[in-house]
Amino acid sequence: MTEHAIKYRLIKKEKHTGARLGEIITPHGTFPTPMFMPVGTQATVKTMNPEELKTLGSGIILSNTYHLWLRPGDELVAEAGGLHKFMNWDQPILTDSGGFQVYSLVQNKKNITEEGVKFKSHLDGRELFLNPEKAISIQNNLGSDIMMSFDECPPFYQPYDYVKASVERTSRWAERGLNAHRRPNDQGLFGIVQGAGFEDLRRQSASDLTSMDFAGYSIGGLAVGESHKEMNAVLDFTTPMLPEDKPRYLMGVGAPDSLIDGVIRGVDMFDCVLPTRIARNGTLMTHFGRVNIRNAKYEHDFTPLDPMCDCYTCTNYTRAYLRHLIKADETFGLRLCSYHNLHFLVNLMKDVRQAIMDDNLLEFREDFCERYGYNQPNAKDF
Ligand SMILES: [Zn+2]
């Protein structure tokens, strides 16, 4: 067994569910889990500066390998002294493998071969090639604390045979990635469990990857078109296949009920662009459900956005003011709304950790979902 750069410490398991309270120790600090990680696609969490991000208390952010590889280039980031120095962020960073973006750009399945994936750049249309070794080399140059293996992430509804072949290739790619990893002493590499909705393929994937001794395990291939119920079902059988002494990361999930349901099933880490993307459009998550701040009914509403929220936005500004800023397309409005949504999810995880401590996570879920409006007919996903 290797001594990994990333360590997981289990503090307590909840009595009635699979939820676990813990912490993840990285070369750039320790953060508590379960945790929601803000996404900084282009080496910046849109509109937020690092000092503001630190006040959220997430302790870790995510950045995107594909985007940084294309622009400004991973070699330039290495020349700057690594991603932490380049973006002035001294806390942990997780990078994805680039796979998820690449698959959305592949024009033909024939371009996915054993060697790697051929696709066209979203910036200028030029032809690019990414494979497991290259994905690791880029992340070694970026210097993130937590790196992801290059995997194939097919949509949820695919024929069994296709998913089986894809899972097998993902395992071979995971091994190639491990062999290419140049900085195991200060960067931890995670394997990604695939297998769509097929229990035996998830088992095969988990078994292949856990035999390779990664620093942690991600659950991929979810939040790609399946229902909330199907996601929960996959988590129900997948998380018990993963080792107890390593972190578990559910990729690309950010709806509040999905976060709570993931924690209940033993997930430690989550990320999603959802909170910042919808914020810039004036859609806000509050303890009483979603608010579209552009709505006319907020024109004369001089109350805080979310009276149960103690973030900078809710403490200092009114719904009427936020509505005005968003309608006028003011940068400050984008900042205030992004800050609130990120605070909402990071703080939700803080409340969830307390509920694990108190062994009342199921009651917490019930109360939260009732207030949020999930139990009403026609409730939306976030
Ligand atoms: Zn707030």
Side-chain angles (χ1 to χ4, degrees):
M1 298 287 259
T2 334
E3 178 77 4
H4 290 290
I6 302 298
K7 292 179 186 67
Y8 175 74
R9 189 170 82 85
L10 177 68
I11 295 170
K12 178 185 184 300
K13 283 165 104 173
E14 211 255 0
K15 270 195 184 137
H16 314 286
T17 69
R20 42 194 230 153
L21 187 72
E23 60 184 17
I24 294 174
I25 301 128
T26 85
H28 286 89
T30 298
F31 61 92
T33 56
M35 181 53 78
F36 176 81
M37 305 179 284
V39 179
T41 299
Q42 310 271 10
T44 166
V45 176
K46 285 194 200 311
T47 76
M48 298 284 108
N49 72 34
E51 283 65 39
E52 287 165 333
L53 280 176
K54 282 180 189 169
T55 65
L56 293 172
S58 74
I60 178 167
I61 57 167
L62 186 143
S63 205
N64 289 112
T65 291
Y66 165 75
H67 290 280
L68 297 178
W69 171 39
L70 259 59
R71 186 174 57 190
D74 52 297
E75 279 162 14
L76 184 134
V77 174
E79 188 188 329
L83 191 52
H84 293 87
K85 272 200 177 147
F86 188 51
M87 68 182 288
N88 185 33
W89 175 258
D90 57 9
Q91 294 185 3
I93 299 176
L94 182 151
T95 45
D96 62 4
S97 70
F100 189 77
Q101 283 82 15
V102 163
Y103 289 106
S104 68
L105 297 165
V106 170
Q107 286 160 331
N108 188 330
K109 271 188 185 166
K110 273 192 235 152
N111 291 336
I112 306 170
T113 63
E114 187 63 25
E115 180 46 35
V117 184
K118 209 160 60 171
F119 60 100
K120 287 202 159 67
S121 159
H122 78 291
L123 290 177
D124 53 16
R126 89 192 134 101
E127 196 155 276
L128 294 167
F129 183 73
L130 196 59
N131 66 9
E133 289 80 9
K134 182 69 185 167
I136 296 297
S137 151
I138 297 167
Q139 294 180 81
N140 281 156
N141 276 340
L142 298 175
S144 48
D145 299 273
I146 303 179
M147 306 164 35
M148 293 298 129
S149 282
F150 188 65
D151 62 329
E152 183 180 356
C153 179
F156 195 76
Y157 299 108
Q158 292 287 309
Y160 181 87
D161 289 347
Y162 183 86
V163 179
K164 186 170 169 54
S166 165
V167 158
E168 286 165 358
R169 182 159 51 212
T170 289
S171 295
R172 291 190 295 274
W173 284 0
E175 190 158 24
R176 279 168 57 184
L178 259 186
N179 292 334
H181 187 14
R182 296 193 318 271
R183 295 174 57 176
N185 293 332
D186 66 344
Q187 293 183 279
L189 176 60
F190 282 27
I192 304 179
V193 176
Q194 290 286 354
F198 303 108
E199 183 170 353
D200 64 323
L201 297 184
R202 288 276 174 188
R203 185 170 303 283
Q204 183 186 342
S205 180
S207 153
D208 288 352
L209 296 172
T210 50
S211 74
M212 290 180 218
D213 192 29
F214 282 96
Y217 292 92
S218 307
I219 302 165
L222 289 176
V224 287
E226 80 287 1
S227 70
H228 183 92
K229 220 173 141 187
E230 285 168 317
M231 182 192 293
N232 283 345
V234 171
L235 292 175
D236 274 332
F237 56 67
T238 305
T239 44
M241 300 170 187
L242 301 174
E244 286 241 321
D245 59 347
K246 302 265 174 83
R248 303 161 180 172
Y249 162 34
L250 175 56
M251 308 172 81
V253 168
D257 59 338
S258 300
L259 296 185
I260 301 172
D261 285 347
V263 170
I264 285 172
R265 288 160 180 82
V267 174
D268 306 309
M269 305 154 71
F270 304 87
D271 81 287
C272 193
V273 292
L274 176 87
T276 43
R277 181 173 287 166
I278 64 174
R280 296 196 296 278
N281 200 21
T283 303
L284 297 155
M285 297 185 262
T286 77
H287 286 87
F288 304 92
R290 275 181 310 152
V291 163
N292 180 353
I293 204 68
R294 292 170 173 270
N295 201 305
K297 69 179 172 189
Y298 302 120
E299 188 178 357
H300 300 277
D301 188 340
F302 302 108
T303 64
L305 167 63
D306 181 350
M308 282 179 73
C309 179
D310 62 357
C311 86
Y312 173 75
T313 303
C314 294
T315 318
N316 293 290
Y317 301 95
T318 63
R319 292 175 169 188
Y321 183 62
L322 293 175
R323 177 177 185 271
H324 157 68
L325 291 180
I326 290 292
K327 283 187 75 77
D329 206 19
E330 281 293 334
T331 309
F332 190 44
L334 308 181
R335 284 180 60 195
L336 290 176
C337 289
S338 298
Y339 187 85
H340 165 82
N341 271 359
L342 287 173
H343 183 277
F344 184 80
L345 291 185
V346 173
N347 208 63
L348 170 63
M349 291 292 97
K350 190 173 161 196
D351 293 343
V352 161
R353 292 196 298 275
Q354 187 60 49
I356 298 176
M357 199 57 129
D358 299 340
D359 288 314
N360 63 2
L361 186 55
L362 291 174
E363 293 88 334
F364 174 85
R365 184 195 188 282
E366 187 69 24
D367 288 350
F368 178 88
C369 289
E370 181 65 35
R371 261 202 322 268
Y372 201 85
Y374 278 125
N375 301 341
Q376 290 162 17
N378 305 323
K380 291 268 170 58
D381 267 356
F382 57 83

